[in-house]
Amino acid sequence: MAKATHAVEGVPFSLGLLRHASRVAAGNDPLVHHIESKRGGVVYATSNAPALAMGGHTFNAVVGGTRNPHNPGRSAGGSSGGSAAALAVGAAWLAMGSDLAGSCRTPASFCGVVGMRPSPGVVPKAGSKQELGEEEKLETLRFENGPLARDVEDLALFLDAMDPSVKSEEESYQRAADSPERAWRVAWTADFVGTAPVDAEVARLCKQAAMWLAGDKITLDAPDVSDAPRIHYVLRAHLLSNRHGSLVEEGMADLPEETLWQLQRGQTVPESEIKWARRAKAAYAMRFDAFMQGHDILACPAAPVPPFPAQERWVRQVGDAQMSSYVEWLRHAYVVSLADLPAISLPCGWTDDGLPVGIQLVARRGQDRLLIAAAASLQRKVQKHMEATGQRVFGSVLEKLEDADHVKDLPPMPKL
């Protein structure tokens, strides 16, 4: 299954905007082309996403919203919420996503599946033909295409298909997922030293899982991410305005308020601030690299909250902290994106009211196979705990879904 942002020839390609509601893709996205022409895959559907894939909640004015399969009154996350929900209900076996500030990882956490943002350049994407120097790479904020699946083994199989460099079984991600158990040096942080607010129940479940992975080799530590919000605000605004800013001049009537706010911000950021943010991002990435040299894995929550009510547009409060914008609650994800490190979200537990929670594992840049091996190791430990305590195991298709009449009685989701 492709994400709605991945063009599939002959299939509607609205990007969630009413102005493009009747548009049909004239050709295939590079990733779709690679999967179908080089790997023998069949793309049979596209999944829902918010308008222009902006935001951590999946709704748009063209096809409506995506609800959480575990509780239709809650959000499926975003922007790859359609992909994650389709996996949970068995409408997809493997699903494509894209991730700038957690768009693979947040829906995976909310829907009880696995989602990954790979290292830069691992997976083909549109507009990626230009070669960047090493310094430019560290200065540039980028989205990455990534896989989602119901378990780590399936995700590894799909990443083998997505990554053009995989030529043999020996270098496959599947082999990494099959790696023998080993000791892991794990750094754990719930909130990046107070800079990323988190729900207490989410923090408890994720820390428990981190300790299962690390054993006695866990360290309570985190890199300095105090400048991440300012860097991310500037570079995200600049990136998205460059990609979609012309839509504002064409007309604003079909742009969600968060999308309009984001694009307008990008048009007002001074060039001096952009230059500062690029230099600051490079220094930030190198500082994160230095921290990771002492650890195999950094573990933290994939999302700061369990799935939130579907009628809300975004998370406005985490604990006692007020969120300043539609993207600020996604801080656990974007502090990693800024460092250009591979990260994976996998389910680690259930809240008291039956909602899934995902833990985020982060590895050094280019260590995607090691990350897969760690995730597979933790998944085995999580499943063992679930079975031993009589809880629902992850990785299977939901057997019971709410009937349509019940869903009709729920508060309506946003549309625009």
Side-chain angles (χ1 to χ4, degrees):
M1 175 177 281
K3 186 176 176 178
T5 51
H6 295 126
V8 180
E9 185 175 359
V11 173
F13 188 52
S14 71
L15 295 178
L17 298 179
L18 288 172
R19 72 186 75 184
H20 296 322
S22 60
R23 184 173 66 176
V24 172
N28 285 331
D29 179 272
L31 178 56
V32 173
H33 173 76
H34 171 72
I35 292 294
E36 292 195 326
S37 66
K38 305 294 185 182
R39 300 301 199 192
V42 176
V43 176
Y44 64 92
T46 58
S47 62
N48 198 22
L52 304 178
M54 290 190 197
H57 189 16
T58 298
F59 63 87
N60 64 68
V62 179
V63 298
T66 299
R67 294 181 177 272
N68 193 306
H70 297 276
N71 182 336
R74 300 300 180 113
S75 168
S79 62
S80 305
S83 293
L87 289 163
V89 301
W93 172 40
L94 306 169
M96 299 178 191
S98 58
D99 189 311
L100 180 62
S103 286
C104 285
R105 292 163 283 166
T106 304
S109 178
F110 278 17
C111 293
V113 299
V114 186
M116 180 177 177
R117 175 187 163 101
S119 293
V122 168
V123 178
K125 62 185 180 183
S128 62
K129 293 182 179 180
Q130 181 183 5
E131 289 295 325
L132 299 176
E134 289 305 312
E135 185 175 351
E136 289 178 297
K137 288 179 182 177
L138 290 180
E139 291 181 348
T140 305
L141 178 64
R142 292 163 293 184
F143 76 89
E144 299 295 336
N145 285 327
L148 294 96
R150 277 189 292 275
D151 58 38
V152 175
E153 291 81 5
D154 283 354
L155 182 139
L157 181 151
F158 196 25
L159 191 53
D160 280 336
M162 297 172 90
D163 183 352
S165 73
V166 176
K167 306 294 185 183
S168 67
E169 182 182 347
E170 287 71 22
E171 55 191 0
S172 72
Y173 298 97
Q174 292 176 80
R175 170 162 285 198
D178 231 3
S179 299
E181 291 293 339
R182 52 160 285 185
W184 297 97
R185 298 176 302 160
V186 178
W188 157 256
T189 180
D191 60 2
F192 289 89
V193 198
T195 61
V198 63
D199 173 85
E201 190 173 19
V202 168
R204 176 182 63 80
L205 290 168
C206 291
K207 183 177 182 180
Q208 174 182 257
M211 294 179 69
W212 289 338
L213 178 63
D216 60 359
K217 293 187 179 296
I218 196 165
T219 304
L220 305 182
D221 200 2
D224 175 13
V225 300
S226 56
D227 51 353
R230 181 184 172 193
I231 299 170
H232 183 256
Y233 172 87
V234 173
L235 294 184
R236 180 184 175 90
H238 179 62
L239 169 67
L240 296 177
S241 181
N242 276 353
R243 291 171 64 90
H244 304 298
S246 62
L247 294 171
V248 178
E249 284 73 38
E250 293 173 8
M252 298 181 285
D254 65 346
L255 294 176
E257 59 188 63
E258 298 85 4
T259 305
L260 180 59
W261 174 87
Q262 181 71 82
L263 297 180
Q264 289 177 331
R265 295 290 82 72
Q267 295 174 339
T268 60
V269 177
E271 184 63 30
S272 59
E273 187 76 354
I274 296 169
K275 289 180 179 179
W276 169 84
R278 285 175 173 158
R279 293 192 299 269
K281 181 190 175 302
Y284 176 95
M286 289 187 285
R287 189 170 70 237
F288 219 121
D289 287 347
F291 171 84
M292 291 299 297
Q293 290 306 311
H295 311 283
D296 299 316
I297 295 293
L298 169 65
C300 65
V305 293
F308 60 91
Q311 68 269 24
E312 298 178 6
R313 300 183 71 89
W314 45 278
V315 176
R316 298 177 185 272
Q317 183 170 337
V318 180
D320 295 329
Q322 298 293 322
M323 300 294 103
S324 60
S325 75
Y326 81 106
V327 74
E328 205 49 48
W329 68 278
L330 300 167
R331 194 173 297 187
H332 286 81
Y334 77 64
V335 298
V336 177
S337 299
L338 281 173
D340 294 323
L341 302 182
I344 191 168
S345 170
L346 68 154
C348 66
W350 302 96
T351 64
D352 289 342
D353 52 357
L355 295 171
V357 169
I359 185 173
Q360 178 175 214
L361 304 182
V362 183
R364 294 187 289 276
R365 193 177 307 108
Q367 294 294 309
D368 299 63
R369 288 168 179 80
L370 179 139
L371 180 62
I372 292 285
S377 175
L378 177 55
Q379 178 180 262
R380 290 189 286 269
K381 294 173 171 63
V382 170
Q383 300 296 57
K384 183 178 179 180
H385 174 78
M386 296 295 161
E387 292 168 356
T389 55
Q391 299 183 65
R392 282 181 291 162
V393 298
F394 295 102
S396 57
V397 175
L398 281 177
E399 296 180 357
K400 182 180 178 182
L401 300 175
E402 298 287 354
D403 60 80
D405 289 336
H406 172 72
V407 173
K408 289 178 183 177
D409 294 335
L410 294 172
M413 289 184 67
K415 290 185 178 179
L416 184 61

